């Protein structure tokens, strides 16, 4: 699943550490989500979307053809 | 913070006391095991006490709170939780194969039947635990 997290974070001039602290997750988790290595839980996805004042669909892009784990 | 420091100081003294008991009281050949035990526990207790005591002077209470929160985040972090779960699953799977191979090796070596049965019991226990926890989690998820 692709996402716009890095783009949105940079637009607002927030560091990974700051975002991680606000969402109460580790900085590595934010990095992994941005790189597409890790797909967050629905709860974290919701928290991220709410942090940027958007819906989940606006932040995360679901690709049906790709094999998801 | 002061109560903690007193406790760490107590641990240091307790450890030193146990070390001295290990050296001075249990010094005959009959009490060699008690001496070793006393010495070991004493060394560990005093070591921990000294470490925590130093840490309590170096790290301020504000820093302590920040470290505690950061640790809490690391532990509850969902990615770390998933990593732990996957690691546990892979280790259990690999250990299952390792134990099977181990039984075969023991059999070829002509090991005592009781030892082979004990190792086979471990595989059985692993299977029973898998059934128990699968059933438990399937009811809660």
């Amino acid at each position: 699943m692709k996402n716009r997290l890095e783009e949105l974070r940079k637009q607002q001039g927030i560091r990974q550490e700051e975002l991680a602290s606000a969402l109460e997750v580790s900085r590595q988790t934010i990095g992994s989500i941005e790189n597409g290595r890790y797909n967050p839980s629905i709860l974290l996805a919701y928290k991220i979307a709410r942090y940027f004042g958007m819906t989940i669909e606006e932040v995360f892009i679901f690709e049906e053809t790709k094999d998801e784990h | 913070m002061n109560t903690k420091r007193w406790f760490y100081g107590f641990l240091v003294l307790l450890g030193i006391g146990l070390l001295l008991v290990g050296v001075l009281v249990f010094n005959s050949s009959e009490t060699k095991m008690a001496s070793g035990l006393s010495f070991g526990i004493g060394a560990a207790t005093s070591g921990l006490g000294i470490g925590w005591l130093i840490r309590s002077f170096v790290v301020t209470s504000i820093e302590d709170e920040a470290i505690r929160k950061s640790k809490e985040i690391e532990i509850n972090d969902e990615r770390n939780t998933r990593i732990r779960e996957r690691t546990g699953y892979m280790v259990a799977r690999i250990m299952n194969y390792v134990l099977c191979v181990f039984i075969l090796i023991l059999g070829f070596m002509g090991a005592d039947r009781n030892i082979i049965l004990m190792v086979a019991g471990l595989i059985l226990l692993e299977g029973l635990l898998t059934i128990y926890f699968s059933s438990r989690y399937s009811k809660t998820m």
Side-chain angles (χ1 to χ4, degrees):
Chain A
M1 190 160 62
K2 283 183 181 172
N3 65 75
R4 296 173 54 215
L5 185 58
E6 189 174 8
E7 175 199 331
L8 294 168
R9 181 178 61 77
K10 283 182 177 169
Q11 262 177 16
Q12 299 209 3
I14 312 160
R15 287 186 298 123
Q16 281 189 343
E17 287 86 350
E18 290 167 333
L19 183 61
S21 175
L23 299 169
E24 293 192 329
V25 292
S26 66
R27 191 198 54 77
Q28 287 85 350
T29 298
I30 299 295
S32 291
I33 296 171
E34 285 185 357
N35 293 331
R37 285 198 309 265
Y38 175 69
N39 288 329
S41 68
I42 189 75
L43 188 73
L44 182 57
Y46 183 77
K47 277 186 183 176
I48 293 168
R50 198 171 60 174
Y51 181 87
F52 291 107
M54 292 175 161
T55 60
I56 290 177
E57 290 88 342
E58 284 172 309
V59 183
F60 296 92
I61 303 121
F62 178 65
E63 292 171 313
E64 211 158 342
T65 49
K66 211 173 177 184
D67 199 14
E68 296 293 330
H69 294 285
Chain B
M1 185 60 86
N2 271 338
T3 324
K4 276 185 183 174
R5 279 182 192 157
W6 278 110
F7 175 68
Y8 301 151
F10 170 74
L11 278 183
V12 175
L13 290 176
L14 182 74
I16 291 168
L18 282 169
L19 279 171
L20 290 173
V21 167
V23 175
L24 302 172
V25 180
F26 299 122
N27 51 9
S28 66
S29 59
E30 292 90 41
T31 55
K32 205 176 170 185
M33 196 180 150
S35 168
L37 202 64
S38 176
F39 202 82
I41 294 171
T45 313
S46 56
L48 276 176
I50 291 167
W52 285 338
L53 199 60
I54 293 169
R55 188 180 175 277
S56 75
F57 282 105
V58 173
V59 181
T60 64
S61 59
I62 298 162
E63 280 173 328
D64 207 28
E65 180 60 25
I67 291 167
R68 192 193 59 75
K69 189 153 191 231
S70 154
K71 262 188 182 174
E72 203 180 331
I73 287 173
E74 282 291 325
I75 291 166
N76 296 328
D77 181 66
E78 64 171 48
R79 180 173 155 271
N80 286 344
T81 308
R82 207 176 288 181
I83 289 170
R84 273 199 304 272
E85 283 169 359
R86 277 199 182 184
T87 306
Y89 168 73
M90 283 309 289
V91 169
R93 232 175 113 176
I94 291 165
M95 281 312 290
N96 201 9
Y97 290 117
V98 168
L99 283 172
C100 289
V101 172
F102 189 51
I103 287 180
L104 283 175
I105 291 168
L106 284 175
F108 284 127
M109 280 169 63
D112 190 64
R113 194 184 294 169
N114 290 333
I115 294 172
I116 297 175
L117 282 173
M118 275 200 295
V119 180
L122 287 177
I123 297 176
L124 185 70
L125 179 70
E126 199 180 14
L128 289 172
L129 286 172
T130 306
I131 293 167
Y132 171 73
F133 283 110
S134 297
S135 156
R136 190 177 151 182
Y137 291 136
S138 63
K139 279 175 195 160
T140 54
M141 283 183 197

